[in-house]
């Protein structure tokens, strides 16, 4: 294991920011730490880097306990959300800075600066000052500076969030390429689920200081272990239902009954469940179907370019968003909404927040 975070807890005053978090990252892996603002991601990064001394828990790098070591005695590279290149130094000098601190002699330093600037496609900007670079180029410069000392672990803390969407996507692809080429073990911190899904070998989804789900991105997306993961990782509708039969699983949604033969559930008959289903796994029918659809009224239709997001209201008053590729129905129309049997995930208990996914 290249990085091992063991039972990490950290508090700011009375507030617990990170609560008994454990995970490991294998050599060469890219793991994304994903969660909403304030869930404790940056605190974990700071604890790994040595800028925060945790209240409890250990950090190990290459099997060695580094919890009590200062940041400069850990082989960790970091790129932060905000630009941190030294403004009075050229790009080349910025990249050389960490190498000098490691005691690397000038000729080798020079070579490494060239190598890493070329890796991030910034070789022609070696003599430029940060103020002369675009936002994307500054990020590249920071990546080169973090990578040149060949750290055990690269920590990327929301490195793209200050950039516009198209630059973001380009740089995300670049990060994926650079990570593949260098094989550097990487922890990528983000609140953006599409960045995390696109980049990560493995995901750690965080909520309120704890890990709410972990696993391969596709597996977590398709079989979310908790309602939080279901709604945070992509868009998900949550509707309340009652289990009325188990063989096959049959749910009552208000007046309607739907049968979901491929859905797994071990909750007893009579239990209230929250039924999570993604907008792309719902289909609109002109009328109510046999066993997997409920009648609803179209509330509004949003044209988002590649598709329509159709918001419908169930008789219970709950809203569902349905993705539609073809011509959408009009507002006010009565429709049948069909649930994809294999894609409906049930959780015991009432849903927590009464909200449909963003359209
Ligand atoms: P963001 O994406 O907004 O940076 P995050 O997931 O990285 O959020 P943290 O920055 O680790 O979360 O913060 C976790 C919690 O700890 C938050 O409630 C935050 O307000 C609090 N916190 C963070 N840093 C401090 C600090 N220096 N002093 C007091 N409270 C802090």
């Amino acid at each position: 294991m290249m990085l091992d975070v063991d039972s990490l807890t950290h508090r700011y005053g009375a507030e617990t920011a990170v609560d008994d978090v454990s995970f490991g990252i294998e050599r060469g892996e890219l793991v994304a730490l994903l969660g909403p603002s304030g869930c404790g991601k940056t605190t974990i990064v700071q604890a790994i880097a040595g800028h925060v001394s945790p209240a409890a828990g250990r950090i190990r790098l290459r099997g060695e306990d580094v919890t009590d070591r200062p940041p400069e005695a850990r082989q960790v590279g970091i790129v932060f959300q905000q630009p941190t290149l030294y403004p009075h130094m050229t790009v080349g000098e910025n990249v050389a800075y960490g190498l000098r601190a490691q005691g690397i002699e000038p000729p080798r330093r020079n070579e490494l600066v060239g190598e890493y600037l070329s890796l991030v496609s910034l070789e022609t900007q070696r003599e430029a000052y940060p103020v002369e670079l675009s936002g994307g180029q500054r990020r590249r410069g920071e990546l080169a500076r973090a990578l040149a000392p060949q750290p055990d672990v690269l920590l990327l803390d929301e490195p793209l969030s200050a950039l516009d969407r198209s630059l973001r996507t380009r740089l995300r692809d670049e990060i994926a390429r650079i990570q593949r080429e260098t094989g550097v073990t990487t922890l990528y911190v983000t609140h953006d689920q599409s960045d995390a899904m696109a980049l990560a070998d493995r995901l750690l989804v965080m909520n309120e200081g704890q890990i709410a789900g972990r696993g391969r991105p596709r597996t977590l997306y398709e079989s979310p272990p908790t309602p939080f993961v279901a709604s945070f990782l992509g868009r998900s509708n949550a509707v309340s239902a009652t289990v009325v039969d188990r063989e096959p699983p049959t749910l009552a949604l208000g007046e309607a009954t739907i049968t979901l033969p491929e859905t797994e559930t071990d909750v007893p008959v009579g239990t209230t469940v929250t039924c999570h289903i993604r907008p792309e796994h719902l289909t609109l029918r002109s009328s109510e179907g046999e066993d997997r659809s409920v009648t609803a009224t179209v509330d509004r239709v949003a044209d988002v370019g590649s598709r329509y997001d159709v918001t419908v209201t169930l008789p219970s008053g709950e809203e569902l968003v349905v993705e539609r590729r073809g011509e959408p129905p009009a507002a006010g129309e009565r429709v049948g909404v069909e649930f994809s049997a294999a894609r409906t995930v049930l959780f015991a208990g009432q849903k927590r927040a009464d909200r449909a996914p963003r359209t």
Side-chain angles (χ1 to χ4, degrees):
M1 196 74 75
M2 188 59 104
L3 169 68
D4 185 18
V5 172
D6 183 7
S7 308
L8 186 71
T9 293
H10 191 68
R11 295 182 197 92
Y12 298 101
E15 186 185 336
T16 302
V18 175
D19 187 6
D20 197 20
V21 165
S22 297
F23 64 89
I25 309 188
E26 299 286 353
R27 175 193 296 268
E29 242 191 330
L30 194 162
V31 171
L33 188 59
L34 172 72
S37 180
C39 73
K41 306 181 297 295
T42 296
T43 303
I44 292 177
V45 166
Q46 299 288 16
I48 297 168
H51 299 135
V52 146
S53 185
R58 309 309 297 172
I59 308 286
R60 289 181 205 91
L61 284 168
R62 292 184 185 272
E64 269 181 61
D65 191 330
V66 297
T67 321
D68 301 319
R69 281 193 205 161
E72 60 279 7
R74 305 180 185 199
Q75 297 288 317
V76 171
I78 310 193
V79 176
F80 295 103
Q81 180 173 350
Q82 295 306 326
T84 57
L85 288 176
Y86 300 114
H88 60 286
M89 291 184 192
T90 64
V91 173
E93 287 165 351
N94 262 286
V95 176
Y97 184 82
L99 299 172
R100 193 165 50 230
Q102 278 191 335
I104 296 172
E105 293 301 317
R108 178 67 186 137
R109 221 190 287 160
N110 247 333
E111 258 173 40
L112 282 169
V113 169
E115 237 174 74
Y116 280 89
L117 285 179
S118 149
L119 177 74
V120 301
S121 314
L122 215 56
E123 55 273 57
T124 54
Q125 262 77 30
R126 185 170 178 149
E127 303 307 324
Y129 284 89
V131 71
E132 301 170 85
L133 302 182
S134 70
Q137 286 172 329
R138 276 183 221 151
R139 301 273 82 178
R140 289 166 195 272
E142 280 160 355
L143 267 175
R145 186 178 60 179
L147 286 168
Q150 296 171 331
D152 286 341
V153 174
L154 175 66
L155 304 172
L156 302 174
D157 190 359
E158 303 267 9
L160 306 178
S161 56
L163 306 174
D164 67 52
R165 186 178 286 272
S166 73
L167 183 55
R168 224 188 139 89
T169 314
R170 260 189 291 144
L171 213 53
R172 182 172 84 189
D173 294 346
E174 278 285 275
I175 288 174
R177 174 188 63 79
I178 290 164
Q179 201 270 339
R180 267 198 315 274
E181 281 180 24
T182 57
V184 64
T185 307
T186 303
L187 181 66
Y188 186 97
V189 172
T190 181
H191 64 274
D192 185 302
Q193 59 96 16
S194 56
D195 283 351
M197 295 274 302
L199 278 173
D201 299 316
R202 230 158 23 93
L203 280 185
L204 302 167
V205 183
M206 275 195 80
N207 185 29
E208 297 179 347
Q210 296 183 325
I211 294 185
R214 60 180 87 213
R216 284 163 44 83
R218 179 56 43 191
T219 312
L220 277 186
Y221 183 83
E222 287 179 354
S223 308
T226 62
F228 176 81
V229 175
S231 52
F232 194 73
L233 207 54
R235 305 192 305 162
S236 182
N237 293 290
V239 284
S240 299
T242 307
V243 178
V244 291
D245 203 346
R246 279 184 56 183
E247 304 260 338
T250 307
L251 304 176
L253 270 86
E255 307 269 289
T257 306
I258 58 170
T259 308
L260 303 165
E262 294 156 68
T263 299
E264 284 178 28
T265 181
D266 51 9
V267 284
V269 168
T271 312
T272 302
V273 291
T274 307
C275 195
H276 275 260
I277 181 126
R278 300 193 182 281
E280 69 266 31
H281 298 141
L282 288 169
T283 311
L284 293 179
R285 303 277 177 226
S286 50
S287 60
E288 197 172 342
E290 286 285 299
D291 53 1
R292 283 210 295 272
S293 63
V294 291
T295 309
T297 308
V298 176
D299 183 63
R300 57 191 183 275
V301 177
D303 183 350
V304 292
S306 59
R307 57 165 204 270
Y308 298 94
D309 280 343
V310 181
T311 304
V312 301
T313 309
L314 299 177
S316 64
E318 291 174 302
E319 286 190 345
L320 289 173
V321 175
V322 183
E323 282 187 13
R324 172 85 164 187
R325 305 275 152 188
E327 195 60 25
E333 226 174 277
R334 299 266 290 166
V335 287
V337 182
E338 186 180 305
F339 285 59
S340 164
R343 301 309 187 108
T344 305
V345 184
L346 303 183
F347 296 105
Q350 297 276 4
K351 67 178 170 176
R352 280 184 58 190
D354 185 17
R355 94 192 134 81
R358 296 176 306 277
T359 46

